[in-house]
Amino acid sequence: MSNRDDEYYERDERRSSRRRDDRYDDRYDDRYDDRYDDGYEDEYDDREVRRSSRNGSSRSASGAGHSSSRSGASHSASRSGSSRSASRSSQGSRSGSSRSSSSRSSQSRSGRGNGHGGNGGKKKSSTKAIVLLVAEVLVACILVYVAYTLFFKVDVTKVGKVNLNEEEITKSISETVANNQEMSGYTNIALFGVDARDEQLTKNTRSDTIMIASINNATGDIKLCSVYRDTYLNLSNDTYTKCNAAYAQGGPLQAISMLNMNLDMDIQDFVTIGFRGLTDVVDALGGVTIDVTDAEISHLNNYQATMAQELKLNYTPVTSAGVQTLNGLQATAYCRIRYTAGDDFKRAERQRTVLMACMEKAQGMSYSQLETVANKAFGETYTSFDLDEILALLKNITNYKIVDNNGFPYEDMRATGTMGKAGSCVLPKDLQSNVKWLHQFLFDDSSYEVSPDVQKYSEKIAADVSKYIGG
């Protein structure tokens, strides 16, 4: 398994000197370099962040395009309009001041000669007040626009709703999948957990957790499948390495594309959460019930100690094995354990265990309580869902049930090995067979035939694997 230095006693100093101007715009970074070698999670301090339009968006590709166009046009119009208004306001103020000064002298002189000068002065004073009021309103509008631009474009807010490039996602879904009737009754969501202590969740950080939640729309049954982070796959740009590098290179868009292309999936939505977010969600739920083993206690507490220092939280050590309620920090630390029997495969299982425990706890809460949890969580996640969509799902939470969970590649159809520069990887012995198993598991489709693309990727992976481990 991975020899990554993510243990609690070996942490590199964060590098904080670099900043990049090229904000994340959903374009793939086709380069693969040494930044993505093991030991990665402390390597990135220049994570770039996308923000969604405040105008709302259509869930269709064309709607997203129109929304973006309207938003861009609005911003452009605001900028040019503001400039023109400011110019006119400034010129008006200067000429108005000149005219007012002249008028005042004239009024003063004429006022002494007749009794009508006072009324004329009042009218001109009123005009001046209106001009000043309009100027102040325009200045206020400009300041609001500048504040809006700074707040959202410089990304003071690091997390929340994002509008994905739906055209790119559509391209990643094969015709085989688009025409498959067995999959049409399901909604698939990608769940990413990232090692992001500073809550920058969008790019330049590999995804420690990659999970697919598949919901049967007719029954509400949910199946969870972890995709092991070190699985050797096509990153969606014909670069083959550990699949969690897709998130580091291109954020959730590339990670979703990677899943769709390699696994013949139709995934269009995602949720990403980091350490702080998961900790706060579990606390908001009142903790989760987990059966902790003796072998897990020391690792759980050591991870807790490290995260408590980084997140500036207090922590309570777990002192005994057995079924117990873990708080947010304890549950997050539990998700990170991989130094026991089962290594990273067991860690992925722990992550599914915590997610299922969260679901169980949420189903026992009132809607008002869930609304509080959702509002708290939304500020600490990066997702394609609107808060309103999340709240709508929570209203029907009792209709959903997690009925099964597993991991990809399947246990009987995987191996591990060192793949040159990619390092220690999880190897699908035959990608096609694993994809067929996945469709049987998620969609009860026992006769699924993989797409031509998956056949091609499968042949490439088999050829690469044979160079290092003899086929």
Side-chain angles (χ1 to χ4, degrees):
M1 293 306 300
S2 172
N3 58 0
R4 190 183 69 157
D5 291 335
D6 69 343
E7 181 56 285
Y8 41 82
Y9 47 75
E10 290 187 39
R11 294 286 185 190
D12 295 332
E13 291 295 326
R14 287 193 173 276
R15 302 172 185 174
S16 57
S17 60
R18 291 190 298 131
R19 297 294 301 170
R20 281 198 270 175
D21 295 327
D22 53 327
R23 295 176 67 254
Y24 169 41
D25 61 358
D26 281 336
R27 292 174 295 183
Y28 296 155
D29 177 357
D30 291 332
R31 301 181 300 278
Y32 177 81
D33 54 45
D34 291 338
R35 288 181 302 163
Y36 303 130
D37 288 342
D38 288 337
Y40 49 78
E41 78 257 51
D42 291 324
E43 289 293 319
Y44 305 106
D45 64 341
D46 58 340
R47 299 175 182 138
E48 301 164 281
V49 187
R50 293 179 64 230
R51 292 299 306 170
S52 63
S53 167
R54 299 283 288 180
N55 299 338
S57 66
S58 166
R59 304 298 288 176
S60 69
S62 60
H66 293 318
S67 176
S68 176
S69 298
R70 288 194 298 270
S71 176
S74 175
H75 287 179
S76 176
S78 298
R79 286 195 293 271
S80 59
S82 298
S83 298
R84 288 193 296 270
S85 298
S87 176
R88 288 197 297 269
S89 174
S90 175
Q91 293 167 5
S93 296
R94 286 196 297 271
S95 60
S97 298
S98 176
R99 286 194 299 270
S100 296
S101 176
S102 209
S103 297
R104 281 195 298 270
S105 298
S106 175
Q107 289 165 16
S108 178
R109 288 192 299 271
S110 64
R112 285 193 294 268
N114 59 59
H116 303 291
N119 289 336
K122 287 180 182 179
K123 287 180 181 179
K124 290 187 179 291
S125 294
S126 259
T127 302
K128 179 182 177 183
I130 292 171
V131 169
L132 289 174
L133 177 60
V134 171
E136 287 171 357
V137 169
L138 289 172
V139 169
C141 289
I142 292 169
L143 290 175
V144 168
Y145 173 74
V146 170
Y148 175 90
T149 302
L150 288 175
F151 190 79
F152 291 102
K153 292 198 174 182
V154 178
D155 299 310
V156 174
T157 300
K158 300 295 183 184
V159 289
K161 169 68 190 293
V162 57
N163 294 322
L164 290 174
N165 186 328
E166 296 185 18
E167 183 178 352
E168 291 297 328
I169 290 180
T170 300
K171 289 178 182 177
S172 72
I173 301 170
S174 72
E175 289 187 16
T176 300
V177 172
N179 297 326
N180 185 276
Q181 293 302 310
E182 298 294 331
M183 297 177 65
S184 62
Y186 292 82
T187 298
N188 305 300
I189 303 169
L191 308 176
F192 301 112
V194 297
D195 187 356
R197 299 164 182 80
D198 54 2
E199 297 178 58
Q200 289 180 301
L201 308 177
T202 62
K203 197 179 179 184
N204 288 352
T205 178
R206 293 201 185 199
S207 42
D208 275 350
T209 301
I210 305 173
M211 200 180 300
I212 298 169
S214 186
I215 305 170
N216 185 317
N217 299 328
T219 66
D221 288 348
I222 301 173
K223 293 181 182 178
L224 301 176
C225 187
S226 299
V227 178
Y228 300 115
R229 62 178 192 167
D230 292 336
T231 305
Y232 188 78
L233 294 173
N234 184 345
L235 298 189
S236 80
N237 55 12
D238 289 332
T239 298
Y240 288 76
T241 188
K242 296 179 182 181
C243 65
N244 64 351
Y247 199 103
Q249 289 188 13
L253 177 64
Q254 186 169 345
I256 291 172
S257 296
M258 177 273 296
L259 292 172
N260 283 340
M261 291 171 64
N262 286 273
L263 310 184
D264 272 355
M265 293 297 296
D266 180 353
I267 301 172
Q268 300 182 42
D269 287 297
F270 80 99
V271 178
T272 297
I273 195 165
F275 289 169
R276 168 72 74 173
L278 180 58
T279 297
D280 288 344
V281 166
V282 173
D283 281 338
L285 289 170
V288 291
T289 303
I290 302 293
D291 188 0
V292 180
T293 67
D294 285 317
E296 294 168 333
I297 293 175
S298 62
H299 299 295
L300 190 159
N301 287 331
N302 282 322
Y303 275 122
Q304 268 204 97
T306 299
M307 288 190 296
Q309 184 176 5
E310 293 167 345
L311 301 177
K312 296 179 173 54
L313 298 173
N314 295 321
Y315 76 96
T316 303
V318 172
T319 57
S320 60
V323 177
Q324 56 197 287
T325 299
L326 300 185
N327 64 27
L329 197 61
Q330 292 168 338
T332 304
Y334 178 81
C335 285
R336 298 188 65 198
I337 299 170
R338 69 184 182 94
Y339 295 96
T340 61
D343 302 308
D344 203 51
F345 301 117
K346 185 64 177 178
R347 172 158 78 167
E349 182 181 326
R350 291 186 185 99
Q351 294 162 356
R352 299 194 301 273
T353 297
V354 168
L355 180 58
M356 290 186 289
C358 287
M359 179 78 166
E360 183 177 353
K361 193 66 177 284
Q363 288 181 319
M365 299 177 74
S366 68
Y367 177 71
S368 61
Q369 290 173 314
L370 291 175
E371 190 173 16
T372 300
V373 174
N375 277 285
K376 174 66 176 175
F378 191 71
E380 296 178 328
T381 57
Y382 194 55
T383 178
S384 56
F385 290 112
D386 291 315
L387 180 57
D388 289 345
E389 291 176 303
I390 295 172
L391 293 175
L393 288 170
L394 290 177
K395 285 183 178 179
N396 300 311
I397 195 168
T398 55
N399 296 332
Y400 298 108
K401 182 181 180 182
I402 299 176
V403 296
D404 206 352
N405 72 99
N406 216 309
F408 180 96
Y410 185 59
E411 185 174 7
D412 294 339
M413 295 187 283
R414 70 183 183 226
T416 58
T418 301
M419 296 288 295
K421 185 177 180 179
S424 179
C425 295
V426 177
L427 308 172
K429 290 181 179 178
D430 178 65
L431 182 61
Q432 295 185 67
S433 299
N434 274 285
V435 170
K436 288 182 179 181
W437 167 83
L438 181 65
H439 281 251
Q440 166 68 47
F441 172 69
L442 292 179
F443 313 119
D444 297 321
D445 186 355
S446 58
S447 59
Y448 184 75
E449 293 297 328
V450 303
S451 67
D453 286 336
V454 167
Q455 293 177 27
K456 180 175 67 176
Y457 307 149
S458 185
E459 291 168 3
K460 166 65 174 172
I461 290 170
D464 288 352
V465 168
S466 66
K467 298 175 186 177
Y468 293 96
I469 61 174

